[in-house]
Amino acid sequence: MSELDCDYLKHRPYGFYETILKPVLGWLFALIFVLLFWWLYILIAVLVRVKLGSPILYTQERPGKIDCRTGKEKIFKLYKFRTMLQEGENKLSDEERLTEFGKKLRSTSLDELPEILFNILLFRDMAWIGPRPLLVKYLPFYTEQERMRHAVKPGLTGLSQVSGRNYLGWDERFALDCKYVSKITFVGDIKIVFKTIKKVIMHSDITTDGKYTIKDFDEERKNGNY
């Protein structure tokens, strides 16, 4: 990222809610959630161990908020409950490795509970609401404007997730992410929370077959599909 763009990130017109209230409330709600549902973490961990073996957790590096000292996204580990069988000697596709139990975890979004404990509460790499952290391999293919989605911490849910989730095209996703980053408000975040709860309960816009519903972003950009 150029020095000018990084300077823009430093001097965005941050408000009281975004700079102080949102991170404090986010951490507090994460603490309350873990204290209330610690038993659910243990239950799912035991089930994953019995049905899928070890390790219980799946980790993957993802890009986080841009550090203006380096002009690069901070790379952090995303934590989830594992939903797939381990790769053995016989190479299986993701679809073959995804079990019925794993599909249920994904359809209920319970596989994402470790993000609340590790990424929001303990390591503070993420927020409850913000652009979802995508794959590190996508970084070279963002435009400068699209990288603005990394001007804030990534979220457990976000505007693009409640607006179509995996069924949106990449341009639509990034446009919604940048729209969210440009104006973060308490009312807006509350709306996203309630829409997220509704989608989780209704199991809408969720794919569980181990495949993307749209082409991989890097493949689209390599082919010149901007």
Side-chain angles (χ1 to χ4, degrees):
M1 173 170 282
S2 66
E3 184 177 345
L4 178 62
D5 290 324
C6 197
D7 191 59
Y8 164 76
L9 292 179
K10 287 180 180 178
H11 296 93
R12 282 183 61 237
Y14 298 105
F16 173 76
Y17 169 69
E18 184 181 351
T19 55
I20 299 176
L21 197 56
K22 180 179 178 179
V24 170
L25 289 178
W27 187 88
L28 183 60
F29 286 146
L31 177 62
I32 294 172
F33 184 92
V34 172
L35 290 176
L36 288 176
F37 295 103
W38 59 268
W39 55 270
L40 185 58
Y41 282 87
I42 294 175
L43 176 61
I44 297 175
V46 171
L47 290 173
V48 171
R49 180 66 177 84
V50 171
K51 293 181 177 293
L52 300 176
S54 60
I56 293 170
L57 295 177
Y58 167 79
T59 63
Q60 187 178 56
E61 289 190 337
R62 298 289 177 94
K65 184 178 178 180
I66 291 173
D67 183 349
C68 281
R69 294 172 298 180
T70 64
K72 296 180 179 179
E73 288 83 351
K74 176 188 175 183
I75 306 301
F76 69 96
K77 281 187 177 182
L78 181 79
Y79 292 83
K80 290 188 176 186
F81 282 119
R82 193 156 64 89
T83 58
M84 289 184 175
L85 296 170
Q86 290 282 71
E87 284 186 307
E89 294 182 2
N90 299 322
K91 294 293 183 180
L92 300 175
S93 66
D94 286 353
E95 186 176 4
E96 292 171 320
R97 291 170 54 212
L98 183 61
T99 65
E100 287 301 318
F101 170 71
K103 289 180 181 180
K104 289 179 180 178
L105 280 184
R106 289 189 181 189
S107 67
T108 56
S109 297
L110 290 174
D111 62 315
E112 297 186 7
L113 287 182
E115 294 173 49
I116 300 173
L117 172 60
F118 294 103
N119 296 119
I120 298 178
L121 180 63
L122 296 181
F123 303 135
R124 304 185 188 183
D125 300 309
M126 293 176 58
W128 282 92
I129 302 169
R132 281 294 293 172
L134 301 176
L135 301 178
V136 174
K137 70 175 184 176
Y138 295 169
L139 286 177
F141 302 101
Y142 289 112
T143 65
E144 284 295 304
Q145 182 176 357
E146 288 168 348
R147 285 189 70 195
M148 291 300 105
R149 70 191 303 276
H150 299 148
V152 299
K153 287 183 179 181
L156 184 68
T157 185
L159 182 60
S160 65
Q161 279 64 49
V162 299
S163 303
R165 209 163 181 172
N166 292 333
Y167 293 95
L168 292 176
W170 290 111
D171 291 343
E172 294 172 291
R173 286 193 193 191
F174 296 148
L176 288 168
D177 289 339
C178 291
K179 179 181 178 181
Y180 174 78
V181 170
S182 68
K183 189 176 182 180
I184 298 175
T185 65
F186 177 74
V187 173
D189 279 358
I190 291 297
K191 289 180 179 178
I192 291 174
V193 168
F194 281 106
K195 287 181 180 179
T196 299
I197 294 172
K198 180 181 177 181
K199 284 188 174 288
V200 170
I201 293 174
M202 299 297 293
H203 294 183
S204 60
D205 299 335
I206 299 173
T207 57
T208 60
D209 61 358
K211 298 182 292 185
Y212 289 104
T213 55
I214 55 177
K215 291 182 179 179
D216 269 343
F217 173 57
D218 57 330
E219 289 299 323
E220 283 200 352
R221 290 299 162 94
K222 286 176 184 178
N223 294 327
N225 295 324
Y226 285 82

